[in-house]
Every structure is written in structure tokens, then in C-alpha cells.
Amino acid sequence: MQLKDLSITNRKYALNIKADMTSDNILESLSLNDIETNIKGLHALLVTEPNFFLINEDFIDNSLTISRLYNDNFAINKLTSLKELPEDTKEERARNYLRREYFKREFVFSYDDYLELLELDDLLLRETNYHYLLENPYIIYSITYLKKELDDYYMYNKKADNYLYTILKLLLKKGYSDIDSVIAIMSALNLFSYKDNGKIITFAKKI
């Protein structure tokens, strides 16, 4: 089973949990969520992308702490099984997971880059004022990822879809000098069915 096989709601819960893992204090971030967000998010990831937790031992340990707090036996058993794997198996599964993420994201990134991507995914899903996001070097890749992983969500939520489209159009207007960036933007724009018919969203810029 893949993340795309889940309901839109559960996919969003899963992405929320991933974003929480980028925090310097993961346990604190998880503790700020409501119970449903944590339980459904952890279950969604454990069913579809269990190897995500192997990227960093803290992901498992903090998720276990939360799961024990909720007496969530399903998550406890799954996370414990992952924690007890041999170290070489953990490392190999973590590498394979990241390789699949390279394919989904359409570029190769470092661990720190990946954490920034996860946080950016969450900010874009929340439709954060894009003036604060436009300079992020990974924004094109994050938009492409979200459009593919949540294609049905963006099909029915035109406001959210137009939010991403607006960002790409603004990036295109910046006039990138490197051809790779232009190609990446054009490729992302091709994921939008209405192309140039979309109304551009504007935010009052607050610096």
C-alpha cells in the first residue's frame, strides 16, 4: 500500500506527522497535536511508509513515547518491530526509502534538505502566505510532490490548487537564468489542468 491509496484526510495527517519530525524537539511538536492527528498520522505512515521512521532513531523513539501515552498498541507494536531490526537492515531500508523519495521529488537531496522539504510540504498544505516561501530553493519540488501525492485533493479544492499555481507563475516571472529551474517550473505547471486560466491569488505582503 502507498500513501496515495489512503484517504485525502489520512494523507494530510501523515504529512503533518512528517513535518513534526523536522522539529528540534519532536516530542514537543507531537504533543501539541490533537490525539486524532497523531494516531491517524502515525498509522497512515506505519501502513504505507514504515521505513520513514528508520531515517532517524529519534523518529521511532518519540513516536513510541506518544503511542504509549495513548496506549496505541498498533503503533507500539509496529514501531517496536522497526526499532528491533538489525542495524544494517535499518540502514538499508532507510537508504531505499530515500531513493524512492528522490524519484518522487525528482532530485537528489541531503538529510537536512529532506527535513526542509517536509516542513515546506506542511507550509504549502496550510497555504501559508507565499511571500515567505518564494525564496525557498526547494519550493518547485515540493509543489510537484504535493500535486502528485494529493492530486484528488487539488482537483476538488480549487482554492488550494490555485494557491500552488500562483506560486509557480510568480517564480516564472522572476526570470531564472539557469535553464534547469525554468524546466522544473514548466514541468510543474503542466500538472495544472487549467494552465493560464487560473486566477492569481494575492496576499498583502507583511515583512
Side-chain angles (χ1 to χ4, degrees), residues 49-196:
E49 298 183 1
N51 291 335
F52 167 79
F53 295 93
L54 299 176
I55 296 172
N56 186 319
E57 193 75 18
D58 288 343
F59 292 2
I60 297 179
D61 291 340
N62 287 287
S63 298
L64 267 172
T65 299
I66 288 293
S67 299
R68 287 169 179 152
L69 181 65
Y70 299 149
N71 293 314
D72 181 359
N73 289 326
F74 174 83
I76 292 170
N77 292 336
K78 290 286 187 181
L79 289 163
T80 301
S81 294
L82 290 170
K83 187 175 178 63
E84 292 175 348
L85 288 170
E87 289 304 315
D88 56 343
T89 302
K90 290 181 183 178
E91 291 172 6
E92 181 61 24
R93 290 192 182 183
R95 282 195 297 270
N96 288 338
Y97 178 82
L98 287 174
R99 289 189 192 108
R100 284 192 288 272
E101 287 292 289
Y102 297 157
F103 178 76
K104 288 182 179 180
R105 303 281 181 171
E106 300 183 3
F107 83 112
V108 177
F109 43 77
S110 68
Y111 173 76
D112 288 337
D113 294 336
Y114 187 53
L115 294 185
E116 188 168 348
L117 278 163
L118 297 180
E119 184 178 10
L120 183 57
D121 292 344
D122 188 60
L123 291 171
L124 289 170
L125 266 176
R126 295 175 188 274
E127 297 178 45
T128 304
N129 189 325
Y130 53 64
H131 290 300
Y132 301 104
L133 307 178
L134 289 175
E135 298 304 318
N136 190 296
Y138 311 118
I139 193 165
I140 304 168
Y141 305 105
S142 190
I143 289 174
T144 300
Y145 172 79
L146 290 176
K147 276 289 289 183
K148 291 180 178 178
E149 290 296 305
L150 288 162
D151 54 341
D152 45 354
Y153 168 69
Y154 288 107
M155 181 184 299
Y156 296 112
N157 189 329
K158 294 304 181 184
K159 177 178 175 292
D161 195 59
N162 195 45
Y163 166 79
L164 298 183
Y165 180 77
T166 298
I167 293 174
L168 291 174
K169 294 295 284 185
L170 290 173
L171 290 173
L172 194 61
K173 286 182 179 179
K174 290 179 66 173
Y176 285 96
S177 57
D178 63 297
I179 190 65
D180 288 341
S181 294
V182 175
I183 290 173
I185 294 171
M186 295 307 296
S187 176
L189 282 170
N190 284 332
L191 298 173
F192 293 81
S193 58
Y194 50 82
K195 303 293 189 302
D196 291 323

